[in-house]
Amino acid sequence: MKLFTRAFWSVELAEVAMANITKKVSWSSRTDESGVASEGTPLLNGAEQPRHSRQLSGGGSIFQIGRLSTVDLEEEITTEEDSLRGRLKEIPHNEKLLSLKYESLDYDNIENQLFLEEERRMSFMSFRCLEISRWVICGLIGFLTGLIACFIDIVVEQLAGIKYQVIKENIVKFTEVGGLSISLILWAVLNSSFVMVGAIMVAFFEPIAAGSGIPQIKCYLNGVKIPRVVRLKTLLVKVCGVICSVVGGLAVGKEGPMIHSGAVVAAGVSQGRSTSLKRDFKIFEYFRRDTEKRDFVSAGAAAGVSAAFGAPVGGVLFSLEEGASFWNQMLTWRIFFASMISTFTLNFFLSIYHNKPGDLSNPGLINFGRFESESMEYNLYEIPLFIAMGAVGGLLGALFNVLNYWLTIFRIRYVHRPCLQVMEAMLVAAVTATVAFTMIYFSDDCQPLGPDHTEEYPLQLFCADGEYNSMATAFFNTPERSVRSLFHNQPGTYNPLTLGVFTLTYFFLACWTYGLSVSAGVFIPSLLIGAAWGRLCGILLASITSTGSTWADPGKYALIGAAAQLGGIVRMTLSLTVIMVEATGNVTYGLPIMLVLMTAKIVGDYFQEGLYDIHIKLQSVPFLHWDAPATSHWLTAREVMSSPVTCLNRIEKVGTIVDTLSNTSTNHNGFPVVVRVSDNDEPAKLCGLILRSQLIVLLKHKVFVELAQSRLTQRKLQLKDFRDAYPRFPPIQSIHVSQDERECMMDLTEFMNTTPYTVPQETSLPRVFKLFRALGLRHLVVVEDNRVVGLVTRKDLARYHQGRHGLEELQLAQT
């Protein structure tokens, strides 16, 4: 089965690649923040564009050596494909392609002379003040994230309450006199109207705000800079969009987008300014670099998880799973502090909103309720049943991901225009309302309406007096309330047919919905699907045993099914286990949930990757996994490095630097700096590494040797000048250099990193991979006797991984 599936997929992917699909991807249709390309050119099946080498002559300024090495499949590049390489706004859909839009983060500090001098001038008290500032920033991140979550929750509750109340009154009115079709139209129109507003904001104003944002934040924490992902505009569209999506009745949740929202808050607060509003508060200037910003984004993502689920520890572990190799103990405590502040802020303000000041019983946007009754205990003989449910969750999750994958391919091909994206979102909203109304209309599952009922909007419809339609409890409500009702309603509240039909219907609705151009998450729909079929399993188990009511409690199996379904779709294990335990408030279920999530991941991975990994791959992001491929020990740095390498002399001509940065065929971001030890033709020695962004700042400030000598009062360039330009460094096209200035020289000694990380050619690929993941590298220079022979970047490693995957798929297809 696995062999057939992989063979089928490889053939389909080949057809997609040969079709040269050039539709825009859903994450963003814009170029990078700086308007320039990233570390490399588009890589088709691992093959880079040819680089034209120029041998270093006596007065030459560029030193290039080595060769172009690749281990991937070779394909003939057609004229059409070659023309696509220059397009930054349209990315061909091909899983073997690495997009121009994405570049790496400079997580490693650039230890040049300016940096070292600044660090040496700082006193012990200055470092203590910086540490205090980090704690203050994390506190602000948690506070603001909690406020945003509180705002979303209150607005959704108010708007959804008005919508459902209007629809309920309309249904009650026309149930007696006839004409329920008017109620259906009203429901569909209200849903489509809300969704239309949210879809317009996303499709026309900020496409990066679509979806939950978790794949983008995973990439950011992995070390990939996603354009516009942490902008203020993105946050505003994300918040308004998720409100419209949930109120519009889509099969979505508002918890996933909170992770993205927290990350945006962290990125903005930690910089002490807003580049979007062009306001600089002149604070936190020391933290204006990728090294610090990325740590704060981790805290923001954790605060978002904490606000969404009331799970501070789960939030910490979520960030840990995505960027653990960059952590230290103090950073862990700061992230935990941000998570706790986020939960407390949301809890405190919601208690005021519910007229219960000080009653801190709403730790997150979703409250699973307490599983404390004796009937919720589990026995040892139930563990195999839980594991079996985990396997079912893995199978259903794999099916969900496969269907969503092909839907995404369809959208990339045919639904790539903003107007079509808005129309599709409105269509899904109308279909969702129609399906829900139809199922409620034809359902005969009537339950008695007791005095202590928990249903928010009970619908009687055709049920007898004193009864309500059970199907309406699942559909005619927000997804969070539906999940809680499946967890805690008394046995007998739902009949098996209702749960079965609801599971099947909501499964396909959620699959269709995820990937629309709206802000929405997949956590709650996954939990709702799993809770429905899990409760169905509990009911069936109770029906086949004489003492079923004492052990097969439907709520208990609804919880296990929810965990299994969510784990089968997103494939998270450690953090998701803790999130579920914290959300239920009962550590007793820690072991069953862990076993279920592990089983779901193992079974699901056998057929298909996780949902977030699929969407990351579809966007052609150079994402690095935790470890190198298991069969890569026989490869060395020589096989994966890029060569020849564009090098700069320590004292370089300005014209040469401008031409190098302006060369669109080799848009590199890192350049080894070399120095000649003699006048003969021997290769130059490596003496440092300098980045594109540094060179642009130097050109902007005219840091030329001749000008420095002629103007004795010229201010010395400081790190503040580089931090002021961060993160939107101007493109090289905006830097004006006269013809006379092109003949000047630039001394790079003071600004280059004099101690770049280097490895010999014979270094094994797993060791190179480990250096990248453990140190957060962007460039790794390959040397031989301190002479540059190659350069390894993130895209080189990602290209190898994709090439190996393609080879394996082709071999399986041929077999």
Side-chain angles (χ1 to χ4, degrees):
M1 178 63 183
K2 181 178 180 182
L3 184 62
F4 172 78
T5 303
R6 288 193 172 183
F8 173 77
W9 273 59
S10 61
V11 173
E12 291 292 334
L13 290 176
E15 291 178 355
V16 172
M18 294 302 294
N20 294 320
I21 305 165
T22 59
K23 308 306 180 184
K24 295 180 182 178
V25 297
S26 59
W27 280 12
S28 175
S29 59
R30 298 173 173 86
T31 56
D32 198 358
E33 294 172 349
S34 60
V36 298
S38 57
E39 291 172 0
T41 54
L43 307 175
L44 184 61
N45 283 343
E48 292 193 20
Q49 283 184 341
R51 303 177 185 174
H52 303 286
S53 303
R54 290 194 296 165
Q55 190 66 26
L56 184 63
S57 58
S61 57
I62 294 185
F63 177 67
Q64 294 182 318
I65 57 179
R67 56 182 171 73
L68 175 64
S69 62
T70 173
V71 296
D72 301 326
L73 296 175
E74 296 291 342
E75 281 191 2
E76 182 180 357
I77 302 177
T78 63
T79 304
E80 182 181 358
E81 291 172 343
D82 188 70
S83 65
L84 293 176
R85 292 175 184 256
R87 301 183 187 178
L88 293 179
K89 294 186 178 181
E90 294 188 359
I91 306 300
H93 169 67
N94 184 347
E95 289 195 351
K96 305 301 182 294
L97 184 74
L98 297 182
S99 174
L100 269 172
K101 296 194 303 178
Y102 310 116
E103 62 179 81
S104 301
L105 297 173
D106 295 311
Y107 197 72
D108 183 42
N109 282 324
I110 307 299
E111 292 192 352
N112 52 23
Q113 292 184 18
L114 296 180
F115 176 81
L116 295 177
E117 289 175 3
E118 182 186 71
E119 295 292 307
R120 290 163 183 164
R121 286 195 305 266
M122 294 179 64
S123 62
F124 177 76
M125 185 57 64
S126 299
F127 282 108
R128 292 298 298 271
C129 291
L130 287 175
E131 188 63 24
I132 293 174
S133 299
R134 292 187 179 96
W135 284 91
V136 171
I137 292 173
C138 287
L140 288 174
I141 291 170
F143 178 74
L144 294 176
T145 304
L147 283 181
I148 292 174
C150 183
F151 171 78
I152 292 175
D153 191 59
I154 292 175
V155 174
V156 166
E157 182 175 341
Q158 291 295 326
L159 293 179
I162 295 173
K163 187 192 80 169
Y164 286 125
Q165 193 63 38
V166 170
I167 297 174
K168 178 183 177 181
E169 293 176 356
N170 191 274
I171 291 177
V172 171
K173 173 184 176 181
F174 286 102
T175 300
E176 299 176 355
V177 300
L180 280 174
S181 58
I182 299 178
S183 301
L184 169 60
I185 295 174
L186 175 65
W187 194 351
V189 169
L190 288 177
N191 275 16
S192 300
S193 300
F194 281 111
V195 172
M196 180 185 67
V197 175
I200 288 176
M201 288 190 296
V202 171
F204 285 94
F205 296 101
E206 198 54 85
I208 195 67
S212 65
I214 294 179
Q216 294 93 317
I217 298 305
K218 284 187 65 173
C219 292
Y220 193 94
L221 297 181
N222 188 263
V224 182
K225 185 178 182 180
I226 307 296
R228 311 180 67 87
V229 71
V230 289
R231 295 279 188 91
L232 177 61
K233 182 179 177 182
T234 303
L235 175 64
L236 296 177
V237 174
K238 176 72 72 172
V239 171
C240 298
V242 73
I243 291 173
C244 294
S245 299
V246 176
V247 177
L250 293 177
V252 299
K254 57 181 181 289
E255 284 69 24
M258 276 309 306
I259 300 174
H260 190 182
S261 301
V264 178
V265 169
V269 171
S270 63
Q271 304 303 289
R273 67 178 177 184
S274 172
T275 52
S276 300
L277 301 177
K278 295 180 173 57
R279 291 291 303 274
D280 192 341
F281 301 99
K282 304 297 182 182
I283 57 176
F284 308 141
E285 293 179 342
Y286 182 84
F287 305 124
R288 293 176 184 176
R289 47 181 168 158
D290 289 341
T291 308
E292 299 285 349
K293 186 177 180 180
R294 189 177 177 190
D295 290 343
F296 291 120
V297 169
S298 298
V305 174
S306 181
F309 298 97
V313 179
V316 175
L317 292 176
F318 174 83
S319 295
L320 177 66
E321 280 190 296
E322 307 308 327
S325 54
F326 309 103
W327 279 45
N328 56 60
Q329 184 178 8
M330 193 55 64
L331 174 60
T332 305
W333 277 108
R334 289 198 300 268
I335 294 178
F336 182 63
F337 176 68
S339 300
M340 293 298 298
I341 293 295
S342 177
T343 296
F344 176 80
T345 301
L346 174 66
N347 217 343
F348 176 75
F349 284 100
L350 284 183
S351 68
I352 297 177
Y353 170 71
H354 293 298
N355 296 321
K356 298 178 181 179
D359 182 16
L360 306 180
S361 57
N362 296 283
L365 293 180
I366 182 171
N367 187 357
F368 289 163
R370 298 287 177 176
F371 291 83
E372 296 178 348
S373 62
E374 293 183 359
S375 60
M376 296 299 292
E377 297 178 355
Y378 69 93
N379 295 286
L380 184 63
Y381 54 82
E382 290 183 273
I383 291 181
L385 297 176
F386 297 154
I387 294 176
M389 293 179 66
V392 174
L395 291 172
L396 292 178
L399 176 61
F400 185 98
N401 294 348
V402 169
L403 294 176
N404 189 263
Y405 174 88
W406 292 114
L407 277 173
T408 304
I409 296 295
F410 177 84
R411 288 180 175 126
I412 293 174
R413 286 185 174 183
Y414 303 110
V415 193
H416 53 277
R417 296 182 180 178
C419 57
L420 295 178
Q421 294 169 351
V422 174
M423 292 175 61
E424 184 194 15
M426 295 175 62
L427 174 64
V428 174
V431 170
T432 301
T434 303
V435 170
F437 185 88
T438 303
M439 294 182 64
I440 294 173
Y441 182 86
F442 288 103
S443 175
D444 58 355
D445 185 6
C446 297
Q447 302 293 336
L449 188 64
D452 56 345
H453 68 89
T454 59
E455 286 70 26
E456 192 74 15
Y457 311 102
L459 282 179
Q460 180 180 354
L461 213 61
F462 301 116
C463 296
D465 293 339
E467 295 183 340
Y468 69 97
N469 190 296
S470 181
M471 181 69 77
T473 305
F475 268 115
F476 200 69
N477 216 333
T478 59
E480 289 83 1
R481 294 185 181 275
S482 299
V483 171
R484 188 167 182 175
S485 67
L486 288 169
F487 284 167
H488 296 286
N489 279 11
Q490 296 296 322
T493 305
Y494 299 91
N495 66 38
L497 180 61
T498 299
L499 292 174
V501 174
F502 174 80
T503 299
L504 185 65
T505 305
Y506 206 82
F507 180 91
F508 289 104
L509 286 177
C511 184
W512 189 13
T513 303
Y514 188 81
L516 293 176
S517 293
V518 295
S519 298
V522 75
F523 272 87
I524 297 304
S526 303
L527 291 173
L528 186 54
I529 295 169
W533 66 258
R535 189 177 182 95
L536 176 61
C537 291
I539 294 174
L540 296 179
L541 288 173
S543 64
I544 62 176
T545 58
S546 58
T547 59
S549 59
T550 62
W551 67 276
D553 187 275
K556 172 174 57 178
Y557 282 85
L559 173 63
I560 298 300
Q565 186 65 53
L566 182 57
I569 292 176
V570 302
R571 310 289 165 77
M572 296 163 59
T573 51
L574 180 62
S575 59
L576 193 55
T577 300
V578 177
I579 288 172
M580 296 293 292
V581 170
E582 288 186 280
T584 57
N586 195 331
V587 73
T588 306
Y589 288 95
L591 178 62
I593 291 175
M594 181 189 71
L595 294 175
V596 165
L597 291 175
M598 290 178 60
T599 305
K601 177 176 174 56
I602 292 172
V603 173
D605 285 344
Y606 185 83
F607 297 98
Q608 179 59 289
E609 294 178 298
L611 185 64
Y612 299 142
D613 294 326
I614 290 174
H615 282 264
I616 289 173
K617 182 178 292 186
L618 286 174
Q619 309 311 315
S620 304
V621 179
F623 189 89
L624 295 184
H625 296 276
W626 285 116
D627 300 305
T631 59
S632 62
H633 282 81
W634 58 278
L635 289 172
T636 63
R638 182 189 297 109
E639 277 74 33
V640 297
M641 69 182 184
S642 295
S643 63
V645 182
T646 302
C647 297
L648 300 175
N649 289 321
R650 185 174 59 85
I651 300 179
E652 188 62 88
K653 184 182 293 186
V654 173
T656 301
I657 295 177
V658 172
D659 293 339
T660 302
L661 298 181
S662 303
N663 188 357
T664 57
S665 64
T666 55
N667 291 296
H668 307 307
N669 275 283
F671 304 91
V673 181
V674 297
V675 60
R676 278 194 170 277
V677 296
S678 62
D679 295 332
N680 53 26
D681 294 334
E682 293 183 5
K685 298 285 187 178
L686 175 69
C687 63
L689 182 75
I690 194 164
L691 300 178
R692 169 185 289 267
S693 58
Q694 294 175 292
L695 292 172
I696 287 178
V697 173
L698 295 179
L699 290 172
K700 179 181 179 181
H701 289 273
K702 312 292 184 182
V703 186
F704 307 150
V705 174
E706 290 78 3
L707 295 181
Q709 294 173 352
S710 61
R711 292 184 293 183
L712 299 178
T713 59
Q714 184 182 23
R715 180 180 66 85
K716 182 180 179 181
L717 204 65
Q718 300 176 351
L719 281 182
K720 184 179 184 301
D721 298 296
F722 293 90
R723 290 167 181 162
D724 289 341
Y726 176 85
R728 303 185 192 179
F729 295 98
I732 185 60
Q733 291 79 9
S734 67
I735 306 298
H736 175 70
V737 179
S738 65
Q739 192 63 36
D740 292 336
E741 290 174 337
R742 288 179 60 89
E743 301 302 320
C744 295
M745 304 299 291
M746 183 183 292
D747 190 353
L748 307 178
T749 305
E750 192 177 7
F751 310 102
M752 67 182 181
N753 183 1
T754 56
T755 56
Y757 289 100
T758 62
V759 294
Q761 295 186 76
E762 301 305 321
T763 305
S764 66
L765 179 60
R767 190 169 186 84
V768 172
F769 200 96
K770 187 178 297 184
L771 285 172
F772 261 84
R773 289 294 279 138
L775 302 177
L777 299 183
R778 187 177 186 180
H779 305 96
L780 183 63
V781 185
V782 183
V783 297
E784 183 178 3
D785 296 331
N786 203 33
R787 296 180 177 88
V788 181
V789 296
L791 191 68
V792 180
T793 66
R794 167 181 290 270
K795 286 191 175 181
D796 292 320
L797 297 179
R799 181 181 62 203
Y800 163 77
H801 184 271
Q802 291 181 351
R804 290 293 302 169
H805 180 72
L807 285 171
E808 293 172 358
E809 296 291 344
L810 181 61
Q811 291 172 356
L812 285 169
Q814 292 174 346
T815 303

